[in-house]
Amino acid sequence: MNAPQIDEQIAKYSETCSRLTNEVARLLVGQETMVSRLLIGLLTGGHVLLEGVPGLAKTLTVSSLARAIRTDFSRIQFTPDMLPADVIGTEVFNPKEATYSVKRGPIFSNLILADEINRAPAKVQAALLEAMQERQVTIGTETFRFEQPFLVMATQNPIEQEGTYPLPEAQVDRFMLKARIDYPSREDERKIVDRMAGGKAIPEISAVTSPEEILEARAVVEKIWCDDKVRDYTIDVVRATRDAASAAIASLENMIEMGASPRASIYLLQAGKAHAFLEGRSYVTPHDIKSLAPDVLRHRVVLTYEAEAEGKSVDDVIRHILDNVPVP
């Protein structure tokens, strides 16, 4: 496909994403970062982990996005007494016919909100994350593939620890992005109060696109051009989390216990392509990589006790890497 054709397709489908963002914004105030990360997940097939306190419209965002795409939405509230069958489904015995039938769980949907995933025990987390990775589940002897698009947005509370089961590093690595959602600004919070508690009718979300169009846009994102220098820069940023000394960042020696795997390089490049697409460009720039690097890396980097004792956070380390790795 030549340049004019790809530019034409990018213009067409990025306009679709703009309509989608604007439609969701009719109901939501602020949270542009959350909506942007969800769109990047949709456009790349990657799942998103959101960390933020309750009451920041996470459920409303996903359900509004599902209505605007005219697709299915499922919300799973995780609790410590859940079983894997409560998520993926199970076989039910019919005593009259002496046969088993499959009862599908809430994982069979297009957009899924896994609320407070860290409240679920390890077996439930493993069942969900395996389904996310394989895009299919096996119930009894039957294997069921999920319809596309398939996106899991999981949330976890960063403050409350009682009764929670933190996700192991190997499992949290299944998420493409981990976005931190903060409180709205004072101006945005006033708009939220006026809109939701002002006595006026709350806007209804209309369908502005379809799952088929999202999948077509995903195919266009894969064709976004990425220069070799940008690919090398992406790899250098990720490798700096594993070997700061070779990246000539001496100040980070003994700060990182475990760095990001090659999966992070793949996800970071894919996310950079989606970011460029959303901005209407047919090529990836270092700015795209730097913009998404914190969300791709923060749940894949484990700091040493020494770094934590010095008050360093994962975001501080990632920011320091981005400041010191040479930009092409």
Side-chain angles (χ1 to χ4, degrees):
M1 184 177 293
N2 56 40
Q5 287 179 314
I6 187 69
D7 287 339
E8 182 180 339
Q9 288 197 339
I10 289 172
K12 173 185 176 182
Y13 289 108
S14 63
E15 173 60 28
T16 298
C17 292
S18 295
R19 292 200 313 270
L20 189 58
T21 302
N22 293 336
E23 185 63 25
V24 173
R26 292 179 58 242
L27 182 58
L28 292 171
V29 176
Q31 304 299 11
E32 289 85 1
T33 298
M34 178 160 50
V35 175
S36 169
R37 298 313 183 251
L38 288 177
L39 284 176
I40 288 173
L42 277 172
L43 293 169
T44 57
H47 306 292
V48 183
L49 177 62
L50 294 181
E51 187 174 85
V53 298
L56 296 181
K58 297 184 288 292
T59 303
L60 184 63
T61 302
V62 182
S63 61
S64 299
L65 198 61
R67 287 197 297 271
I69 300 174
R70 199 186 302 110
T71 191
D72 294 333
F73 165 69
S74 179
R75 178 178 180 271
I76 308 173
Q77 179 63 56
F78 285 91
T79 57
D81 60 346
M82 286 186 74
L83 298 173
D86 296 326
V87 176
I88 65 173
T90 187
E91 287 186 315
V92 178
F93 181 68
N94 185 341
K96 288 185 178 181
E97 301 177 2
T99 58
Y100 286 91
S101 61
V102 172
K103 180 182 178 183
R104 300 188 180 193
I107 193 70
F108 286 89
S109 189
N110 294 111
L111 298 187
I112 297 158
L113 176 65
D115 217 356
E116 295 187 290
I117 187 175
N118 55 334
R119 284 194 174 277
K123 284 185 178 180
V124 177
Q125 291 179 2
L128 172 69
L129 294 167
E130 182 180 2
M132 290 164 49
Q133 182 73 14
E134 304 297 332
R135 279 2 187 235
Q136 65 181 32
V137 295
T138 300
I139 304 174
T141 58
E142 290 188 76
T143 298
F144 302 89
R145 293 197 63 83
F146 300 133
E147 293 183 5
Q148 294 295 326
F150 173 66
L151 172 69
V152 174
M153 187 190 84
T155 69
Q156 61 181 13
N157 189 329
I159 304 299
E160 190 175 0
Q161 296 300 325
E162 186 176 350
T164 62
Y165 304 83
L167 290 171
E169 283 76 15
Q171 292 186 350
V172 79
D173 191 55
R174 306 284 179 88
F175 290 95
M176 181 183 204
L177 305 171
K178 179 183 178 181
R180 287 199 170 132
I181 309 304
D182 206 352
Y183 291 108
S185 65
R186 190 185 189 284
E187 294 76 13
D188 283 345
E189 190 162 356
R190 175 56 191 268
K191 292 177 183 177
I192 293 170
V193 171
D194 290 344
R195 182 172 297 183
M196 296 300 183
K200 299 179 181 178
I202 298 176
E204 287 288 333
I205 298 295
S206 301
V208 296
T209 186
S210 64
E212 293 76 19
E213 200 166 14
I214 293 296
L215 294 178
E216 290 170 4
R218 186 181 292 181
V220 175
V221 169
E222 293 176 356
K223 300 171 185 174
I224 297 289
W225 169 255
C226 185
D227 188 84
D228 286 342
K229 292 181 180 179
V230 178
R231 291 177 184 269
D232 290 338
Y233 174 67
T234 303
I235 294 171
D236 289 342
V237 168
V238 174
R239 291 186 64 84
T241 68
R242 302 198 293 264
D243 190 359
S246 65
I249 311 177
S251 55
L252 290 183
E253 287 190 44
N254 304 319
M255 289 286 182
I256 300 175
E257 179 74 26
M258 184 182 76
S261 70
R263 181 183 287 168
S265 301
I266 297 169
Y267 280 161
L268 184 52
L269 190 57
Q270 290 176 336
K273 287 185 176 183
H275 190 267
F277 171 85
L278 291 174
E279 293 195 348
R281 282 184 281 105
S282 61
Y283 55 90
V284 182
T285 69
H287 170 72
D288 297 315
I289 302 302
K290 294 185 75 169
S291 298
L292 275 301
D295 294 324
V296 173
L297 296 175
R298 65 164 54 98
H299 53 302
R300 296 183 163 90
V301 175
V302 179
L303 301 186
T304 61
Y305 289 114
E306 180 181 344
E308 293 176 353
E310 293 184 14
K312 299 289 185 182
S313 68
V314 171
D315 282 4
D316 292 334
V317 170
I318 294 171
R319 194 178 306 112
H320 193 69
I321 288 173
L322 294 174
D323 288 342
N324 285 273
V325 173
V327 179

